Amino acid sequence: GAGVSQSPSNKVTEKGKDVELRCDPISGHTALYWYRQSLGQGLEFLIYFQGNSAPDKSGLPSDRFSAERTGGSVSTLTIQRTQQEDSAVYLCASSLGRDVGAYGYTFGSGTRLTVV
Amino acid sequence: QQPVQSPQAVILREGEDAVINCSSSKALYSVHWYRQKHGEAPVFLMILLKGGEQKGHEKISASFNEKKQQSSLYLTASQLSYSGTYFCGTVRSGAGSYQLTFGKGTKLSVIP
């Protein structure tokens, strides 16, 4: 598509429930990133996918968080047993490749997650 | 490690200039700059590589001082459309990582 698409745009869930957030990157972009943005904070790295390589999960805050990328395209971020501190905007970005010296990120509009 | 941005916030009148700084305690490979308007996605502005090169985008330019591990974003003759939060994202040299670490952002408000 023309841009990075994320769904849903807003999600309100009860504490303890599981949620799935979807990201559809730009066609042809091999690198895909998930970040989390809390109110007034910067962007916190969560996970990175590059092609068919094993993902870099070093930013996932706990084992309640997981992500997968199917067919080198669409990615799903899953949060199990949600907690109130998980409330944030979850941003997905894609880029042409992993060379951060050459390629900028294109971000989606994000999913605003509210845990009540 | 998260880069440090300064100032945290700045208010300008149209036509005024501003400088936003991004500093790291570690050697950097590249620095990215993004602008995020309220309720919108961050938008890529430019990339700088170590070597002190300066890049420009409209009336917005940036430099990268490799010795100081600092990048500066220059906004000249500011326009209302420049308002937003500016983030720098960095990648350390030799870290073997491919994802950006972002600063906390600088909120820029341009008023008539």
Side-chain angles (χ1 to χ4, degrees):
Chain A
V4 177
S5 178
Q6 290 189 246
S7 61
S9 55
N10 281 285
K11 177 73 176 178
V12 180
T13 189
E14 292 182 351
K15 178 181 173 181
K17 294 287 180 76
D18 298 351
V19 294
E20 285 189 352
L21 313 180
R22 176 188 168 101
C23 173
D24 201 341
I26 292 174
S27 178
H29 280 198
T30 60
L32 186 147
Y33 311 82
W34 283 98
Y35 283 80
R36 177 169 71 176
Q37 186 172 32
S38 302
L39 187 62
Q41 298 298 309
L43 291 84
E44 176 190 6
F45 167 72
L46 297 176
I47 189 168
Y48 154 65
F49 295 89
Q50 169 59 40
N52 295 320
S53 302
D56 179 347
K57 305 178 181 180
S58 60
L60 295 178
S62 77
D63 59 8
R64 295 186 297 104
F65 288 72
S66 63
E68 63 176 17
R69 188 179 184 190
T70 54
S73 181
V74 172
S75 176
T76 303
L77 177 69
T78 301
I79 308 173
Q80 296 179 312
R81 304 181 302 281
T82 51
Q83 304 294 315
Q84 289 187 330
E85 60 263 30
D86 299 334
S87 296
V89 176
Y90 288 81
L91 290 164
C92 174
S94 68
S95 68
L96 273 170
R98 69 180 189 181
D99 185 354
V100 286
Y103 306 120
Y105 291 6
T106 301
F107 282 90
S109 296
T111 294
R112 181 176 297 278
L113 176 66
T114 304
V115 182
V116 297
Chain B
Q1 288 187 337
Q2 187 175 40
V4 177
Q5 288 187 233
S6 62
Q8 291 183 331
V10 58
I11 299 174
L12 298 175
R13 292 198 177 275
E14 275 188 289
E16 291 183 336
D17 302 340
V19 179
I20 300 172
N21 297 307
C22 174
S23 298
S24 173
S25 59
K26 302 292 184 181
L28 297 177
Y29 168 63
S30 72
V31 180
H32 291 211
W33 286 97
Y34 294 79
R35 177 173 62 205
Q36 184 178 32
K37 293 184 180 288
H38 183 68
E40 299 180 7
V43 173
F44 170 70
L45 296 177
M46 65 190 78
I47 294 174
L48 298 104
L49 295 173
K50 63 180 181 180
E53 71 177 292
Q54 185 156 343
K55 287 199 170 183
H57 178 79
E58 298 177 343
K59 292 183 181 178
I60 301 174
S61 62
S63 64
F64 182 13
N65 186 319
E66 185 181 349
K67 288 185 179 179
K68 292 185 178 180
Q69 301 308 321
Q70 177 176 299
S71 178
S72 296
L73 186 71
Y74 307 95
L75 300 102
T76 58
S78 58
Q79 306 168 13
L80 295 176
S81 62
Y82 287 2
S83 294
T85 300
Y86 289 79
F87 292 97
C88 68
T90 60
V91 175
R92 289 168 46 195
S93 291
S97 61
Y98 302 98
Q99 68 275 6
L100 295 172
T101 301
F102 287 92
K104 291 188 176 182
T106 295
K107 185 175 182 180
L108 176 72
S109 301
V110 181
I111 59 176

